[in-house]
Structure formats: structure tokens, C-alpha cells
Amino acid sequence: MRRYRWLVLLALLGGAGSIRAEAVTNFWFPVGEELVYHAHWGIFHVAESRTVINWTNHDGRDLLVVRIRTRSNAVISTIYPVDDTIETVIDPVTFLPLTFTKTLNEGRYHTDEITTFDHAAGKAYWHNRKKGDRKEFPIEPDTRDIVSLMYYLRREPFTPGQERTFRVMADEKLYDLFIKVVEREVLPSDHYDRIKTVRIEPDAAFEGIFVRKGKLTLWVTEDDRRILAKVMAVIPVANVRIHLAEVRGPGNDRWVKGKGKRP
């Protein structure tokens, strides 16, 4: 199961100087937004994942932080307990990641890793804080981890027929990530009536959030928020399905007002 752990997530240098949070207001998402997802492995509900983006302060500097926590439910935890936390700290001006932290507790597997980005020097520094291992590797000017990239991609609408390529950091290396926007689809939802989305088929040369052995499909809402509404992975052992259960936080749109129900 660890091989597919990133599927439960789903959806950030120097030189900017000091900046106050209130000075940056033109984001394409509301700061304080919380996305709640439910994950199913085959027919079984196995986990819940919560993704929150908020402000944090480090050495007097206001930065963005995305935290994703995924926990198995009570039944699954008796067999294979999962409690994972992923955190990305982002420069709000460049929207490039400063640090990417991964703390995974899955059955008997445990790890605590942090990657620090130095875009000015073109390097990243990985540290396994549990084992003490360290690694330095080159990065490019616009290198992002997968979490910060997912938020970055929410800036602009997706158009059917569009194809894009990105370089992303995963497993202490840089990989090519290919995204193909296929078509528009309307999804049924128990919480938000019918959701207008665009279907996206990603492909990557690494395992993790985008598996190689199997097919992954994403559905992103076709509105100003461009929220990841559903993930479907068809893999050899079972189908993994992740769907949006609730949107919390600021805002006065259909996602938070009346929990998205039409009057």
C-alpha cells in the first residue's frame, strides 16, 4: 500500500525580502481554505485527507504553508494504520517552495524527511531526520514539489485539448510531469449537487502521486477555485477513488455557503 500512499493526497528563494501577509491579496484561492477528501480502496472507505493552506511566520516573514494530513479510519487502522503529514512552505511572492516536509507513518513504515530549496543557488537539500541521511541535488529556477505545483496550477483555467509539461521534484530528483486535459464532465456529488469539471490525465516518469503501473485520472472543478474534485486510479491490486467531501474556510460561494447546495 505504501507504494500508492501519495494517492491519498489528492492536490510551493531567496531574493523576495520581508513581506507582510496583508500585502499579498491577489491569490487565486482563499487563504484559510480547507479541503476534505474521502478515499476508497475498491469498495472500502479507508481514509480521510484534509488539505489546508494558511499563513505562517518564520523569522518575521509571512509565508504560505500547505498542510495535508491523511489518516486511516478506525477499521483500517486495526490492520494497517496510516497517519501521514505533508507540508510545503511557499514564498507568497514567487510562489516557489522553500521547504517540503514529509512525515509518514504507515503500518511499520515510518519516515521524517525535509527538502530545503535554494533557487538562487540552483540546489535543493534533502535530509532524512529519522536516519540522518543527507543529499544535495540540482534544481531548476521554477522547480516545485508536487503539492506546490498543484496549487500553482489553480491560477488559470484548464482547456480541453491542452497539453503541458512540468519539471517536478520527487524522491530527491527532478522528473518530467505531463498533463493532458481531455474533456469537460459533470460529476454527481452527495454534498455539492452536480459539479462541472474538466477531466485531466497526468503521466510522470516517477512513482508516487502519479503511479506508473496503472492509469490515473483527475477531475478539476471548472470555476474560479479550480478545486481537485475527484481522483481515480486503476492499478493492478484495486481501484483507488478519492472524492471531495467538503470545502471549509472563508468565502461566500457555493462551496462554503450552504455547503454548496442550490437554494
Side-chain angles (χ1 to χ4, degrees):
M1 182 180 288
R2 188 190 320 143
R3 181 176 185 174
Y4 308 108
R5 59 180 177 266
W6 289 92
L7 287 167
V8 186
L9 298 180
L10 236 183
L12 293 122
L13 357 274
S18 178
I19 183 169
R20 298 302 303 167
E22 58 268 22
V24 182
T25 59
N26 59 336
F27 294 120
W28 45 97
F29 52 82
V31 177
E33 176 189 75
E34 179 179 2
L35 307 176
V36 182
Y37 294 93
H38 290 167
H40 289 78
W41 186 274
I43 63 173
F44 302 104
H45 175 220
V46 295
E48 180 178 276
S49 184
R50 296 174 182 263
T51 301
V52 183
I53 186 164
N54 225 322
W55 290 107
T56 188
N57 188 278
H58 182 69
D59 293 336
R61 185 181 181 193
D62 289 321
L63 305 169
L64 289 169
V65 58
V66 179
R67 292 188 181 95
I68 304 175
R69 187 175 184 184
T70 302
R71 291 186 288 181
S72 53
N73 61 30
V75 174
I76 297 300
S77 292
T78 62
I79 305 171
Y80 191 86
V82 173
D83 189 352
D84 293 348
T85 300
I86 308 296
E87 179 179 290
T88 296
V89 177
I90 308 167
D91 184 321
V93 176
T94 64
F95 216 80
L96 290 171
L98 300 173
T99 60
F100 174 77
T101 305
K102 180 170 62 175
T103 304
L104 307 180
N105 297 284
E106 303 171 357
R108 297 181 179 179
Y109 176 80
H110 306 279
T111 191
D112 181 14
E113 306 170 12
I114 183 170
T115 301
T116 303
F117 298 85
D118 186 343
H119 284 83
K123 295 181 179 180
Y125 307 90
W126 171 81
H127 179 204
N128 186 318
R129 295 183 290 196
K130 188 175 182 64
K131 296 182 178 180
D133 298 336
R134 295 178 181 270
K135 183 178 180 180
E136 175 184 315
F137 58 97
I139 60 174
E140 297 173 0
D142 61 347
T143 293
R144 291 178 172 84
D145 60 86
I146 192 63
V147 176
S148 59
L149 177 63
M150 290 172 65
Y151 273 82
Y152 180 74
L153 289 177
R154 293 174 62 180
R155 296 179 312 152
E156 301 174 354
F158 295 98
T159 304
Q162 182 182 30
E163 296 184 8
R164 301 182 66 182
T165 302
F166 300 92
R167 294 281 281 172
V168 62
M169 185 280 296
D171 302 326
E172 303 83 61
K173 295 180 182 179
L174 294 188
Y175 296 91
D176 288 321
L177 170 64
F178 309 97
I179 293 178
K180 180 180 180 180
V181 185
V182 183
E183 62 181 351
R184 293 182 172 89
E185 290 188 12
V186 178
L187 301 180
S189 172
D190 295 335
H191 307 276
Y192 291 101
D193 295 323
R194 290 157 61 85
I195 304 176
K196 294 181 179 180
T197 69
V198 288
R199 179 162 56 90
I200 299 172
E201 295 179 355
D203 190 17
F206 62 93
E207 295 179 354
I209 193 167
F210 302 114
V211 297
R212 298 185 67 184
K213 294 184 178 179
K215 180 181 179 182
L216 185 71
T217 307
L218 313 177
W219 286 262
V220 176
T221 63
E222 200 171 26
D223 62 358
D224 291 341
R225 288 218 196 190
R226 289 179 279 277
I227 297 172
L228 182 63
K230 179 181 176 182
V231 179
M232 177 68 75
V234 179
I235 55 181
V237 292
N239 291 349
V240 177
R241 177 171 54 88
I242 303 166
H243 68 271
L244 179 69
E246 187 177 358
V247 178
R248 300 173 181 174
N252 193 34
D253 55 16
R254 70 184 295 253
W255 297 109
V256 295
K257 187 177 181 180
K259 293 187 177 180
K261 296 293 185 181
R262 290 193 293 265

